[in-house]
Amino acid sequence: MDNAEKNEVTSKEGLVPPPIPRVTIDSSVTSVPGPTTTSLALQQHDQIFYRQLLQLRQQQAAQQQILQQQFNLQRQILLENQEKTLKNHFMEYLDQHKRLEEINGKQETSTDTKKSDVKHRLQEFVLQKKQREIMNSMSISGQPSSLLPKSGSYDDVSMESTWPAGSESEGTDAEVSSLLSSTSSFFKAVPRISPVQEDEYLQSNPFQTASRSPRSMASPLSLGSSSSSLLEDYRGYLAAPPAYLPSPPRHGKLRPVGRTQSAPLPLGHPGLLAPPELRQGKTSPELDTHAMVKHQIRQSVLNRQNRSAPGDSFKSLDPMLAMAELSQIQNRCLSSEETPSPGKTRHSSQEGGGRSRPKPISRTRSSPLVSLGSPGSAGRTGLAWDPVMLQHSCLCGDGVLHPESPLRIESIINRLREKGLLSRCELVRRRATLDELRSCHSEQHVQMFGVSPLVRGAGGGQGVLRLPCGGWGVDSDTVWNDLHTPTAAKVAAGSLVELVNKVGSGSLRNGFGLIRPPGHHAETDQALGFCFFNNVAIAAKQYRKNFNKRVAILDWDVHHGNGTQKEFYSDPEVLYISIHRHDGGNFFPGTGSPTETGSGSGLGTTINIAWSLSEVPLADAEYLAALRSVVLPVIKSFQPGLILVSAGFDGTRGHPPTLGGYSVSPSCFGIFTYYLMQLAEGKVVLGLEGGYIGDEVGDAVAHCVGALLGDGAVLLEPEELQRLPTQQAVLDIQRTVNHHMSYWPVLGESSKFAHVSHSQYLDSHPVDLNAVKRLQVE
C-alpha cells in the first residue's frame, strides 16, 4: 500500500486529516489568467448577486404581504368590535324604549284614574250646589223641611215643587229652636257649607235683601240676630263633614296668581299707569306721556328684533342704553313740573308727603328693561373653540418636530385665561356639514379628508405618505391622523361658519375663531401647508349664501393664502387683501405677486402687498403703512357687510426665517383689529391661521380679543410709531398701488401716507373713539 492509499484510509477512519495535495506548475505555463477566465468569474459573481437580490425582493414581498394580512386582520377585528358595540347600543336603546313605553302606560293609567277622581269631585260639587239651592229656597219661602223626601236624596227635588203657605218667622230663638228640632234629620244629612261660599252665592241671589253678619252665615236657616246661641246648641249637627270637603278660599272669589314684586310688569300693563279716575278724567296728561314713552321704547325693541332676518341689517338694543334713553325722556317730560297742581289727586304710589303729583308705578333698578333676545348676547364677542381640535396631531407625538401642534393652542388658551378674556366671550362650536365643505372643495377631497378611513373603508396609506418621524402626512409638514384629523378639520370649519352666522344675524357683535388645523393654503382638491379645508373661504361662502352681502377678507399671515385667493379670484363680491412675505416668489408658497389682481368680473378684487427680501426684519412701521395706505381705504370703498380675517401670527418675533423671520409686535395686531372694527358696522370675525413659536403668539391673540371686547388697543412699541417704514417696503406698497389705481381711485390719495410714520398719520387722522364705543352698544 503506497502513501496515498494510507492517507486516504487514515482520513476515512477520522484519525488524521488528509494532506493537501501538492500541485506542480509547469514552468512553460504562464501565471497570468487569460481573458476567458476573468469573464467567467465576473459572470458567476453577477449571477450570485442577482440571485441574492431576487431573494431579498422575495423576502420583502413576503413581509409586505404578511403586514398587509395583519393590517386587514386588525381592521376586520376593529370593524367587528364596532359592529358589536353598535349592536349592544341598539339593544340597550330597544330595552330603554320598552321601559319608557311601560312607564308611559302606567302614567296614562294614573291619568285616567285622576280624570275619574276629578269627575267624581265635580259630581259632588254639583250635588252640593243643588243642596245650597234647596236650603236658600227654604230660607226664602220659610217652609219647614218635613215636606222634603225622607230618602235623603236631593237630586229629584226641583225648583217647581209646591210648598204649602205658612206664617213667616218672627226671628225669635224659640221659633228657630222649634224649626231646628223638626229638621234635625235634615241637618245631619246636609254637609257643612263654607261661609265664604254661601256669602258668594247670596250676593248673587236676587231674593236676598237683608245683609247678614259673618257669624250668621254659618247657619243657612238663621233668621235673627241671636243665631250665635243656636250655633253653639246645634254645633254637632253642623260639624258633620261630608265625604269630600274642598278647602274654602280665603276671599270671596278666587283670583289667579299674579306677578310678584320681584317680577317686573310689562310695559303696557295698567299698573304702570295712573288710577282710573285720573285716566278717565284726563286730569293728569303727563301720565299719558309716560305711557307713550314706554310704548315707544317697547316698539323700538320689537322693531329691532324683527329686523334680525338674514337679508336685513340688524342692530340689537342694549338694555342699559334703553334705560338711559328712557330716563332722559322722562326727565325732559318732568322737568317742567316742579310745583304741584291744586286740582290733581294724590295717588297711592306717590312718594313723600310734600309731593302732590300722582306718579305711575315705574320699573326699579333691580328690574331693568330686558331685551327680547338672549340676555346680553347681542353685545358680546364670540369665541369659536372646541377641545376636539387638540386631538389632531402626528402619531409620533413629537410636538417640537411639528410646529403646528396642540401645544400652540393650549398656550393661547392659557394666556386668554390669565388675562380674564376667556370668561367674557361666548363659546361657539359645531361640526361643518359635508355640503358646507363642498362649497369650496371637490367631492373627492371632502371624502378623502372629511371622512375617517375607518368609516369610508380605506386604509391610512391612501392619499397620505409615511413621514420620517414614523407618522403619516400629506407632506412633510401636513400631518394626518386617521382617528382625529377628519373630526378636527370639520369642527374647525363648522365653528367658524357658526360664528360668522351669529355675527351676520346680529346675535353676536364680533368674534374670534380659535381653530386648528388652519386653512388658507388648502385649495379645491389639494391639502397643503398644515391645511385641509379652507376655513375662512367656507365661512365667506356660507355668509354670501345666507345674507347675500359682500365680504372683505384680510390675510395678514406671513405666508400668502394661495387657497383663498384661488377660490375668489374671479368673484366681484369678495375682496381679498393679503400682506405677506414674498421674496420674489422664493418664500412659501411662492404665490401672491402684486401682478395677481383677479380675473374676469373679479378683476381688481385681489390685492397682494408682497414684501420683498429685506436686510432687516420688517416690523410694525411697515405693516401700519400698508394698513393706512391700502387696506383701510379699499375696504371702506368696497363697503362689505362682514370683514373676515385670516389671522396668522407667524410674523411675530421668535419664528425662524423658514416660518416667518419678521418682528411684528403683538400689540400691532390689536391695532389692526381696532381699525377694522370701525368698518362694516363692527362685524369683524378673525380666524386663526399661523403662529407657532413663542409667547408672543398668545399675546397677539389676547390683544385682538381685547380689541373685539371693546378694551381698546395701544401700540406698545413707541419707537415704531415714530419710525419711518423702510424704503424697500414703501416701494413694495407703491408697486401694489400702481397695479390697482385704475380699480380703486381712492388709492391715489391714500398712497401718500406710505412715506410717513404712523404718528404723523394720526396727527391728521385721529382715531374716532366715539364711533368704536357706539359699536359696542348698538
Side-chain angles (χ1 to χ4, degrees):
M1 181 180 297
D2 56 1
N3 294 332
E5 293 178 354
K6 291 181 180 179
N7 292 335
E8 184 178 358
V9 173
T10 307
S11 63
K12 289 180 180 180
E13 294 177 357
L15 298 177
V16 180
I20 300 175
R22 181 173 299 176
V23 179
T24 58
I25 302 175
D26 191 0
S27 60
S28 61
V29 181
T30 60
S31 60
V32 179
T36 305
T37 307
T38 304
S39 61
L40 292 175
L42 290 175
Q43 290 178 0
Q44 293 178 358
H45 180 73
D46 292 341
Q47 292 177 359
I48 294 173
F49 174 76
Y50 287 127
R51 192 180 300 112
Q52 293 177 353
L53 182 62
L54 182 61
Q55 292 178 356
L56 288 175
R57 289 181 177 178
Q58 292 177 354
Q59 292 178 0
Q60 290 179 355
Q63 292 178 358
Q64 187 175 4
Q65 185 177 4
I66 293 173
L67 291 176
Q68 186 67 28
Q69 292 177 356
Q70 292 178 354
F71 175 77
N72 294 334
L73 180 60
Q74 292 178 358
R75 179 173 170 273
Q76 184 178 0
I77 293 173
L78 181 60
L79 292 176
E80 291 177 355
N81 293 335
Q82 290 181 349
E83 184 177 359
K84 291 180 181 178
T85 304
L86 291 175
K87 187 176 180 180
N88 293 335
H89 287 325
F90 183 70
M91 296 302 296
E92 292 177 358
Y93 168 76
L94 292 179
D95 295 340
Q96 187 176 6
H97 184 70
K98 185 177 180 181
R99 290 195 298 268
L100 290 176
E101 287 183 348
E102 295 177 355
I103 294 173
N104 290 334
K106 294 179 180 179
Q107 291 179 352
E108 290 177 357
T109 305
S110 61
T111 303
D112 295 338
T113 305
K114 292 180 180 178
K115 290 182 179 179
S116 61
D117 294 341
V118 172
K119 184 177 180 181
H120 178 67
R121 293 178 182 180
L122 289 175
Q123 292 176 352
E124 291 183 353
F125 174 76
V126 172
L127 177 61
Q128 293 179 6
K129 185 176 180 181
K130 290 184 177 181
Q131 293 174 357
R132 289 197 299 271
E133 292 176 354
I134 295 172
M135 288 160 26
N136 283 281
S137 62
M138 290 173 55
S139 61
I140 294 172
S141 59
Q143 299 298 329
S145 61
S146 58
L147 299 177
L148 292 174
K150 296 182 178 181
S151 60
S153 175
Y154 304 97
D155 295 338
D156 299 330
V157 178
S158 63
M159 298 302 295
E160 300 177 356
S161 302
T162 302
W163 296 87
S167 61
E168 297 182 356
S169 174
E170 299 289 337
T172 61
D173 292 347
E175 292 175 346
V176 174
S177 299
S178 60
L179 182 62
L180 289 177
S181 60
S182 62
T183 57
S184 60
S185 60
F186 168 74
F187 273 95
K188 290 182 180 180
V190 175
R192 184 172 61 180
I193 300 173
S194 171
V196 177
Q197 292 176 346
E198 186 180 3
D199 180 62
E200 181 182 19
Y201 172 77
L202 292 177
Q203 289 176 0
S204 61
N205 192 346
F207 300 100
Q208 187 69 24
T209 57
S211 60
R212 297 186 179 184
S213 63
R215 296 186 64 180
S216 64
M217 298 299 176
S219 176
L221 298 181
S222 297
L223 303 177
S225 60
S226 60
S227 58
S228 58
S229 60
L230 296 177
L231 290 175
E232 296 178 358
D233 296 337
Y234 293 92
R235 189 178 301 274
Y237 297 110
L238 297 176
Y244 169 73
L245 181 62
S247 299
R250 296 178 58 87
H251 304 285
K253 293 184 179 180
L254 293 176
R255 63 175 182 176
V257 179
R259 292 176 176 265
T260 62
Q261 294 181 358
S262 61
L265 295 174
L267 289 176
H269 196 274
L272 298 177
L273 304 178
E277 61 271 16
L278 294 180
R279 293 200 302 269
Q280 295 174 1
K282 301 295 182 180
T283 59
S284 181
E286 69 275 10
L287 297 177
D288 294 336
T289 304
H290 286 292
M292 292 176 61
V293 168
K294 292 183 174 65
H295 181 69
Q296 291 176 359
I297 294 293
R298 182 173 179 84
Q299 288 298 119
S300 176
V301 175
L302 295 176
N303 292 337
R304 295 189 184 188
Q305 291 291 341
N306 291 334
R307 291 200 300 267
S308 62
D312 300 334
S313 60
F314 176 83
K315 293 182 180 180
S316 58
L317 178 65
D318 191 283
M320 301 307 298
L321 179 62
M323 289 301 300
E325 294 178 358
L326 179 61
S327 300
Q328 293 176 0
I329 296 174
Q330 287 178 340
N331 292 333
R332 288 197 298 267
C333 294
L334 303 178
S335 59
S336 60
E337 302 175 4
E338 297 179 357
T339 58
S341 301
K344 295 180 181 179
T345 307
R346 181 181 178 89
H347 185 45
S348 59
S349 63
Q350 181 177 342
E351 298 178 3
R355 300 180 183 178
S356 60
R357 181 181 56 82
K359 297 174 61 178
I361 302 174
S362 59
R363 293 176 180 266
T364 61
R365 295 181 181 178
S366 61
S367 58
L369 176 66
V370 181
S371 175
L372 297 181
S374 58
S377 62
R380 299 197 63 181
T381 295
L383 182 68
W385 155 248
D386 195 311
V388 74
M389 291 181 283
L390 296 176
Q391 299 178 3
H392 161 62
S393 61
C394 185
L395 296 177
C396 69
D398 190 352
V400 179
L401 184 61
H402 302 285
E404 206 295 299
S405 65
L407 298 177
R408 72 186 188 108
I409 303 295
E410 292 176 355
S411 62
I412 294 174
I413 288 291
N414 293 332
R415 185 56 52 90
L416 294 178
R417 186 181 293 110
E418 291 173 0
K419 292 183 176 294
L421 302 174
L422 195 62
S423 59
R424 297 169 58 188
C425 300
E426 181 173 333
L427 182 63
V428 177
R429 57 181 177 178
R430 75 168 173 87
R431 184 179 302 187
T433 64
L434 297 183
D435 290 336
E436 292 173 343
L437 300 179
R438 294 188 190 100
S439 63
C440 293
H441 298 280
S442 62
E443 178 67 25
Q444 182 181 1
H445 186 87
V446 172
Q447 292 295 329
M448 179 66 66
F449 300 109
V451 180
S452 175
L454 300 177
V455 177
R456 68 171 182 261
Q462 184 177 358
V464 295
L465 306 173
R466 174 70 75 175
L467 302 181
C469 64
W472 295 90
V474 178
D475 51 43
S476 58
D477 297 324
T478 311
V479 300
W480 173 261
N481 189 316
D482 282 346
L483 296 179
H484 305 299
T485 299
T487 302
K490 288 187 291 186
V491 170
S495 299
L496 190 63
V497 170
E498 185 68 14
L499 184 60
V500 166
N501 289 338
K502 288 182 176 292
V503 173
S505 63
S507 59
L508 289 177
R509 183 176 59 193
N510 47 47
F512 190 98
L514 191 57
I515 54 177
R516 66 176 292 268
H520 68 150
H521 292 310
E523 298 183 356
T524 303
D525 52 0
Q526 177 66 42
L528 183 69
F530 310 134
C531 307
F532 295 95
F533 299 117
N534 199 318
N535 306 316
V536 171
I538 295 172
K541 281 289 187 71
Q542 297 305 311
Y543 179 82
R544 291 276 304 131
K545 176 183 176 182
N546 296 331
F547 300 94
N548 194 25
K549 293 183 180 181
R550 287 183 167 185
V551 181
I553 301 176
L554 174 61
D555 191 337
W556 68 47
D557 192 287
V558 77
H559 302 89
H560 178 251
N562 56 292
T564 309
Q565 173 179 296
K566 186 176 181 180
E567 185 65 33
F568 302 107
Y569 201 63
S570 60
D571 192 342
E573 301 300 320
V574 178
L575 173 66
Y576 176 72
I577 304 177
S578 178
I579 308 175
H580 56 275
R581 179 180 174 183
H582 190 246
D583 293 356
N586 296 319
F587 191 75
F588 180 85
T591 57
S593 172
T595 59
E596 300 172 5
T597 60
S599 64
S601 58
L603 197 62
T605 57
T606 297
I607 302 176
N608 288 306
I609 305 174
W611 303 124
S612 300
L613 184 62
S614 178
E615 296 180 357
V616 295
L618 301 187
D620 298 356
E622 289 75 22
Y623 271 72
L624 292 174
L627 175 70
R628 61 180 177 261
S629 59
V630 178
V631 176
L632 293 180
V634 171
I635 294 180
K636 187 175 182 180
S637 300
F638 188 68
Q639 295 182 355
L642 176 75
I643 298 177
L644 275 169
V645 180
S646 287
F649 302 100
D650 40 10
T652 56
R653 289 179 287 262
H655 289 81
T658 55
L659 286 178
Y662 285 174
S663 299
V664 184
S665 68
S667 59
C668 181
F669 295 104
I671 294 292
F672 266 65
T673 306
Y674 192 79
Y675 273 106
L676 293 177
M677 289 175 60
Q678 303 178 38
L679 306 174
E681 299 181 354
K683 295 183 178 180
V684 181
V685 176
L686 282 66
L688 182 64
E689 298 287 357
Y692 313 101
I693 301 173
D695 296 334
E696 289 195 355
V697 175
D699 293 334
V701 175
H703 279 283
C704 293
V705 174
L708 293 175
L709 288 168
D711 297 342
V714 178
L715 190 64
L716 301 180
E717 304 287 341
E719 62 277 5
E720 292 297 320
L721 280 176
Q722 306 295 333
R723 185 173 68 85
L724 295 175
T726 61
Q727 188 63 30
Q728 184 60 49
V730 174
L731 293 177
D732 294 336
I733 295 174
Q734 192 61 43
R735 188 180 300 111
T736 302
V737 171
N738 293 337
H739 284 91
H740 288 273
M741 185 74 73
S742 58
Y743 310 117
W744 306 99
V746 69
L747 295 177
E749 179 67 20
S750 63
S751 59
K752 63 182 182 181
F753 299 115
H755 305 269
V756 301
S757 65
H758 197 66
S759 61
Q760 294 174 343
Y761 172 77
L762 290 177
D763 293 338
S764 58
H765 295 77
V767 179
D768 189 1
L769 299 178
N770 294 327
V772 179
K773 291 180 179 179
R774 285 195 299 270
L775 292 174
Q776 297 175 14
V777 298
E778 288 182 353

